[in-house]
Amino acid sequence: MKQLIIVRHAKSDWGNLDLKDFDRPLNKRGKTNAPEMAHRLVKKNIKPQLIVSSPALRAITTAKFFADTWQMPLAEIQEESNIYEANVNTLLKVINKFDNRFDQIAMFGHNPGLTDLVNYLDGHIYEMPTCGVVILEFPFDDWTMISEGTAKVLLFDYPKNGDD
């Protein structure tokens, strides 16, 4: 079985209006929430084999906080430019190309694409909050088979949930 850990980037800083959207950093709360959420997953013995992230600063920084907590080398984070500003079809193409050597992959990205993806795969979630985590499980061993309605939600958690 394949498991996809979907993580929306942590809260970003809107203080500098001269920055491009792609270059927005995490704000103070984001820098607190990212390690907190990663620790929640560690407590549940959840650690992916691979991290794939949007290269946008707020997403890759969130991924690095998780990688650090999971004790995974930062250099092994795979940046995937197609995740940034992606719709469901684009995100699905990214997932369908994942290497089948990996059974559990964490993907870091953005809304509205991630919420739409979770719902397309069968998540039934109104909106993924910043630094929200959804773990989806699929009943097959090939990433190319992931398609509409094939997922089962194993976990939905987010910072304000307080679910330790």
Side-chain angles (χ1 to χ4, degrees):
M1 289 205 261
K2 299 294 186 195
Q3 285 188 357
L4 182 61
I5 302 167
I6 298 176
V7 184
R8 183 179 174 198
H9 66 78
K11 201 81 170 153
S12 59
D13 189 345
W14 289 84
N16 183 348
L17 298 178
D18 293 331
L19 281 180
K20 292 180 182 174
D21 178 72
F22 187 88
D23 297 322
R24 280 192 291 119
L26 295 183
N27 69 12
K28 184 179 177 183
R29 189 169 104 200
K31 291 174 185 175
T32 301
N33 288 161
E36 171 194 334
M37 291 304 298
H39 282 290
R40 287 188 198 179
L41 295 180
V42 167
K43 286 179 186 176
K44 297 177 189 304
N45 293 314
I46 297 167
K47 177 185 175 185
Q49 298 161 304
L50 178 68
I51 296 173
V52 179
S53 178
S54 158
L57 183 59
R58 61 195 180 276
I60 195 70
T61 304
T62 303
K64 288 176 179 178
F65 274 113
F66 276 72
D68 187 53
T69 302
W70 284 327
Q71 299 180 343
M72 297 173 73
L74 300 182
E76 290 181 13
I77 297 172
Q78 290 185 8
E79 291 187 27
E80 174 53 67
S81 60
N82 289 326
I83 295 173
Y84 179 67
E85 295 187 332
N87 62 22
V88 170
N89 289 335
T90 302
L91 291 170
L92 195 58
K93 286 177 186 173
V94 168
I95 293 163
N96 289 156
K97 290 180 183 174
F98 284 163
D99 189 328
N100 280 324
R101 289 179 301 151
F102 304 107
D103 291 324
Q104 191 178 48
I105 297 176
M107 184 171 74
F108 292 77
H110 314 268
N111 260 359
L114 291 184
T115 295
D116 293 343
L117 176 70
V118 168
N119 290 327
Y120 176 81
L121 296 173
D122 227 10
H124 306 293
I125 292 170
Y126 176 69
E127 182 178 1
M128 274 187 81
T130 50
C131 216
V133 177
V134 174
I135 301 179
L136 302 174
E137 186 171 75
F138 303 90
F140 27 72
D141 291 319
D142 189 336
W143 292 106
T144 62
M145 295 180 74
I146 292 174
S147 59
E148 184 176 9
T150 57
K152 173 184 164 188
V153 176
L154 299 183
L155 177 97
F156 174 40
D157 197 7
Y158 48 94
K160 290 186 178 179
N161 190 19
D163 181 12
D164 289 327

